[in-house]
Amino acid sequence: MEQNPALTVALKELSCLHALFNTAETHPYNKNVFFFSPTLPPGRRCSVPKLKRSVLSFIPILSWLPRYSVRQDALGDLISGISVGVMHLPMGLAYALLASVPPVFGLYTSFYPVLMYCIFGTSRHISIGTFAVTSIMIGTTTERLAPNSNFMTLNGTNGTHVLDVVARDAIRVQIAASTTFLSGIFLFLLGMIRFGFVVTFLSDPLVRGYMTGAGIQVVLSQFPSLFGISVGRFSGPLSQVYLLIDICRHLPETNIAAVVVTLVALAVLIVVKELNIYYEKKMPVPVPIELITIIVATLISYYCNLHSLYKVAVIGQIPKGLKPPRSPDVSLWGSIVGDAFAVGIVGYAVNISLGKIFGQKHGYNVDSNQEMVAVGLCNIVGGFFQCHVVAASPPRTLLQDSTGGKTQVVGMISSVLVLIFILQLGSLFEELPKAVLACIVLVNLRGLFMQFKDIPELWKSNKFDLLVWLVTLVCTILLNLDIGLGASIGFSMLTVIFRTQLPLFVCCFVPQAKEIPGITIFRSSTTMYYTNAQLYLDALQEKSGIDIGMLLMKKKKRDTEEKRKDKKEKNKAKKEAKKVNWAFEQQGTGFDRGPETGIHGDDHMTQMSSTGREGEVGRSSFNDTHTIILDLSTTNFADTATVKTLKNIFLNYRKIDIDIYLTGCQVCVVEQLSSADFFSESIPKSCLFSTIHDAVLHSLRLHGASDVPIIYECPNFRLVLYT
């Protein structure tokens, strides 16, 4: 029978295809034919452990709450939660005025988002809620879209124009809620696609300059309340200049009673806050002077009739209870999209900065992507409940840390306190003068204005960073907060481009090297500066295999456990000594026979505790690595972020007995490090070496190597500098 050639070819192709399927399914190393496999490779398959890890990373409360230690953490969290909750109340009322919404909505902002962050946030120590900078950014948006002139109605009785405050506040609340909701959507989506690194483009000088400029805008916005005058509202570039001119024009109309209230409130707040700082170590919790001030001011205002007799402005009606959720107005999104993105990024930048600082202090990691998701969800939920954009507040965060707060339970406790105030006590403060709230805002801006000290420090250490700081400050004040932020980021990137165009080029032969046990050599292929400084730190931890946060936490727990054991042994030894002493006294022999019984009082006790710790503090309990050498030969300048990152590396790794050495630093880099006061007693200049070879030999000699080998040889070494 004659065979059909076409059928033969088709059968061969089918046979090859079948073989290809089998190869793709059975051959573990064939990665080029995975497309034809009906099943996914093992690394890409969904499994129960992977699903569990994903859920725990997305909802962190499921991870830390089951392991919550009531004995160790509950008391500190309770005290800290009450203290932070007490601080939330005046701040919520005051910062609502910055956002140009009624005060009760500041209390809502201190309640709903805080609960959301307890569920989704990864930082255990930051206090999220109302913040001056984000509040003034929201206020700028609400006043631009809903100015007073849009709500003037004609009074039929006397023919004058009257401001419809109720209608104006309703529209402004709607604008603030829509901006908050859209901001939350931006952050949530960026966090889900792992875009948390976007904050790295905000350098430390840029953020600090921006916060200082925003603080100046906050002060200008509070002048009308401080002097009891009414001024116009301005938006856009140069709006702060116009506002200052209008304030000066209306100064002859100053309300003397409001000025007296302002001066008394400022004096009390400043004096007590300074005393809190001075006696910080002697007091378990600081005096809640903000809450005391608003209580006393409300009583004085009510019984002296300041509003009716002296025309002192008060905050007005504070409704009891919670409002039902309401969907944001989508039609406003076209007008607020730029404002929503800017305020979201600023709030997230503050959050992650404070979170990283306190996470590093207490030895745990803060996930930047999850933080972005958490802040986004806080704003999304807050948008439904008429809140405005939230951020971590430095004063509340410092208070939470100093009063012993250790977990996110602090936020839950503070939320309960705020809820009680909203449901029962809010209406009691309707006679509170607005001037007192303005004073609270000003006093809590102390930390922002202390950043003016950056100017002489940056002048001495890094003039490029000083230029970024000053340009950001000027742009923020003159161009307003949203445009100023964009202009500042653009200028900051231009300085990086300019500096990378002026490098020192080095041409040399690449030496051969071999691995030495206990020594890790780390080198980046590019210059370290503010956009990749955190990546450098993360890569060092990953490549070295040393989880610095976990090791510091273990060391802290071990030290605490040792102190507890020492105290226990001390008490036990004292009890035994008393028993033996009493027995000898009964026999009339005294305590002189101690050597026969082996009891030696405190000397014996000290010896026991010291020998009990012997051999436990060494580096062997952490990692076999004893030296890390950072090759900085690719670095051609050192900005503020570089200096700060290197300092953190030295300080953290020294805590676990790992030596850090720098090699290959160019002369300009060393000069910049010296100008920034990088070198000190803890980081001496002896940690600098010209080559990796010298650093390795020094480390080997330092750690007792009897026969130091030649790690590499580089004959005919050639070095050419192009300046």
Side-chain angles (χ1 to χ4, degrees), residues 275-296:
L275 290 175
N276 281 340
I277 296 173
Y278 187 78
Y279 293 104
E280 180 181 4
K281 296 181 179 179
K282 297 182 179 180
M283 294 189 299
V285 293
V287 178
I289 187 58
E290 289 95 344
L291 184 61
I292 295 173
T293 302
I294 66 172
I295 292 174
V296 174

Side-chain angles (χ1 to χ4, degrees), residues 469-489:
W469 197 100
L470 293 174
V471 169
T472 302
L473 176 71
V474 173
C475 289
T476 303
I477 296 173
L478 297 182
L479 301 181
N480 219 339
L481 295 171
D482 47 358
I483 303 175
L485 179 62
S488 303
I489 294 174

Side-chain angles (χ1 to χ4, degrees), residues 212-235:
T212 307
I216 293 175
Q217 289 206 19
V218 171
V219 172
L220 290 176
S221 70
Q222 295 306 296
F223 275 170
S225 296
L226 295 174
F227 292 101
I229 58 178
S230 298
V231 297
R233 300 291 184 176
F234 306 93
S235 60

Side-chain angles (χ1 to χ4, degrees), residues 130-321:
T130 54
F131 180 51
V133 176
T134 53
S135 298
I136 192 67
M137 293 179 77
I138 291 293
T140 302
T141 304
T142 56
E143 291 177 3
R144 174 172 58 85
L145 297 179
N148 289 340
S149 57
N150 291 358
F151 303 93
M152 303 300 292
T153 58
L154 184 64
N155 190 337
T157 304
N158 52 17
T160 60
H161 287 84
V162 180
L163 177 64
D164 189 351
V165 177
V166 176
R168 182 201 65 181
D169 288 346
I171 297 297
R172 286 184 175 180
V173 168
Q174 197 172 11
I175 295 171
S178 298
T179 307
T180 301
F181 183 79
L182 184 57
S183 172
I185 290 178
F186 281 139
L187 292 179
F188 179 77
L189 294 178
L190 289 175
M192 292 301 293
I193 62 175
R194 322 304 290 172
F195 215 68
F197 66 89
V198 68
V199 77
T200 59
F201 291 96
L202 304 178
S203 65
D204 191 53
L206 187 148
V207 172
R208 295 174 71 85
Y210 185 81
M211 293 298 173
T212 307
I216 293 175
Q217 289 206 19
V218 171
V219 172
L220 290 176
S221 70
Q222 295 306 296
F223 275 170
S225 296
L226 295 174
F227 292 101
I229 58 178
S230 298
V231 297
R233 300 291 184 176
F234 306 93
S235 60
L238 300 180
S239 61
Q240 300 306 304
V241 177
Y242 300 143
L243 176 60
L244 183 60
I245 293 173
D246 202 31
I247 290 172
C248 295
R249 186 185 298 122
H250 286 84
L251 279 180
E253 305 169 6
T254 298
N255 187 321
I256 302 301
V259 173
V260 172
V261 171
T262 297
L263 293 176
V264 173
L266 276 178
V268 172
L269 288 167
I270 292 174
V271 170
V272 177
K273 276 191 167 289
E274 290 299 321
L275 290 175
N276 281 340
I277 296 173
Y278 187 78
Y279 293 104
E280 180 181 4
K281 296 181 179 179
K282 297 182 179 180
M283 294 189 299
V285 293
V287 178
I289 187 58
E290 289 95 344
L291 184 61
I292 295 173
T293 302
I294 66 172
I295 292 174
V296 174
T298 303
L299 292 174
I300 294 175
S301 174
Y302 178 78
Y303 286 106
C304 296
N305 295 321
L306 294 182
H307 178 58
S308 57
L309 296 179
Y310 302 100
K311 307 300 179 185
V312 175
V314 296
I315 62 177
Q317 184 180 5
I318 301 179
K320 284 186 178 181

Side-chain angles (χ1 to χ4, degrees), residues 471-517:
V471 169
T472 302
L473 176 71
V474 173
C475 289
T476 303
I477 296 173
L478 297 182
L479 301 181
N480 219 339
L481 295 171
D482 47 358
I483 303 175
L485 179 62
S488 303
I489 294 174
F491 180 79
S492 179
M493 296 303 295
L494 285 177
T495 62
V496 174
I497 294 172
F498 178 75
R499 295 167 83 174
T500 53
Q501 295 304 308
L502 298 173
L504 289 173
F505 297 97
V506 179
C507 181
C508 64
F509 294 111
V510 178
Q512 299 297 321
K514 72 176 183 178
E515 185 177 353
I516 301 296

